[in-house]
Amino acid sequence: MSSNQQPIVLGKIGSSHGIKGWMKITSYTDSVEGIFDYSPWFIKEQGEWREVKVTQWRFQGKALVACLEGVDTREDAQQLTNCEIAIQADQIKDLSEDEFYWRDLIGCTVTNTKGYNMGEVEQIVETGSNDVLLVKANVKDAFGKAERMIPFVPEQFVLEVNVQSKQILVDWDPDF
């Protein structure tokens, strides 16, 4: 992976599984097995990204396990425990004009329908019912807020998302 590219982390390697180099995989993709739709993977080992290839994968109960090329023993697999799994940005699928990835929302300015600048999206938190925008308020917020949590409910609270101009329009009271 070139040093000027920001990797997209899709998961993490867990503990070893068995004696033949298999390891548990934690996937951050929408469908857990979706992590295997991407190849090659890059894993971060001792601060450096290196390319790896998945040779086999399967469900083991409800968990995912996989084997990587060149990882043939339990000891090899144990050395990779807790390594992040990433891909290059150009490996992700192109979306239609009205779609976006959550990562595209980070850094967007959130403004309400009355024109009040509520701050910037710092992260997106997944909850059981809907995702929530965690918005870091401006330093001199008129309502004394440090952050706001705005439910990501399109057409109800989130009225418009423009990733090109990094703007999100919401119907949300700035004092809430």
Side-chain angles (χ1 to χ4, degrees):
M1 181 174 296
S2 68
S3 59
N4 62 348
Q5 281 191 333
Q6 187 67 8
I8 298 171
V9 176
L10 298 181
K12 184 169 123 175
I13 296 175
S15 61
S16 59
H17 177 80
I19 60 170
K20 295 186 178 181
W22 286 76
M23 56 202 80
K24 295 178 183 174
I25 303 295
T26 300
S27 172
Y28 304 150
T29 57
D30 279 343
S31 65
V32 292
E33 69 272 13
I35 194 168
F36 298 107
D37 291 342
Y38 299 95
S39 182
W41 284 356
F42 293 85
I43 58 171
K44 193 171 193 177
E45 231 182 336
Q46 300 172 353
E48 296 292 322
W49 292 102
R50 75 172 173 99
E51 186 175 322
V52 296
K53 181 181 176 194
V54 176
T55 57
Q56 297 179 64
W57 72 272
R58 69 174 185 258
F59 278 100
Q60 186 68 38
K62 291 185 180 185
L64 291 173
V65 293
C67 193
L68 302 179
E69 190 173 79
V71 179
D72 301 316
T73 66
R74 179 180 191 83
E75 292 74 25
D76 292 343
Q78 286 173 332
Q79 290 181 359
L80 300 178
T81 298
N82 292 324
C83 286
E84 291 181 315
I85 300 167
I87 60 170
Q88 292 182 8
D90 61 3
Q91 288 178 264
I92 62 173
K93 300 170 185 143
D94 288 333
L95 299 174
S96 65
E97 221 173 273
D98 61 336
E99 295 181 312
F100 47 85
Y101 288 104
W102 282 140
R103 69 184 182 91
D104 297 333
L105 301 182
I106 306 299
C108 284
T109 299
V110 179
T111 307
N112 75 359
T113 54
K114 294 182 176 136
Y116 185 77
N117 182 329
M118 301 179 76
E120 285 189 2
V121 177
E122 196 168 52
Q123 72 181 75
I124 293 125
V125 180
E126 292 185 50
T127 66
S129 57
N130 53 268
D131 297 325
V132 174
L133 298 174
L134 183 60
V135 179
K136 183 178 181 182
N138 298 312
V139 176
K140 295 183 179 182
D141 186 75
F143 296 89
K145 302 285 185 187
E147 66 182 21
R148 292 179 172 86
M149 296 181 81
I150 303 172
F152 195 93
V153 181
E155 298 177 13
Q156 184 177 358
F157 302 124
V158 178
L159 304 179
E160 185 180 322
V161 175
N162 187 328
V163 292
Q164 284 75 30
S165 65
K166 302 292 278 178
Q167 297 285 323
I168 299 174
L169 178 66
V170 298
D171 186 4
W172 196 255
D173 186 342
D175 196 26
F176 191 68

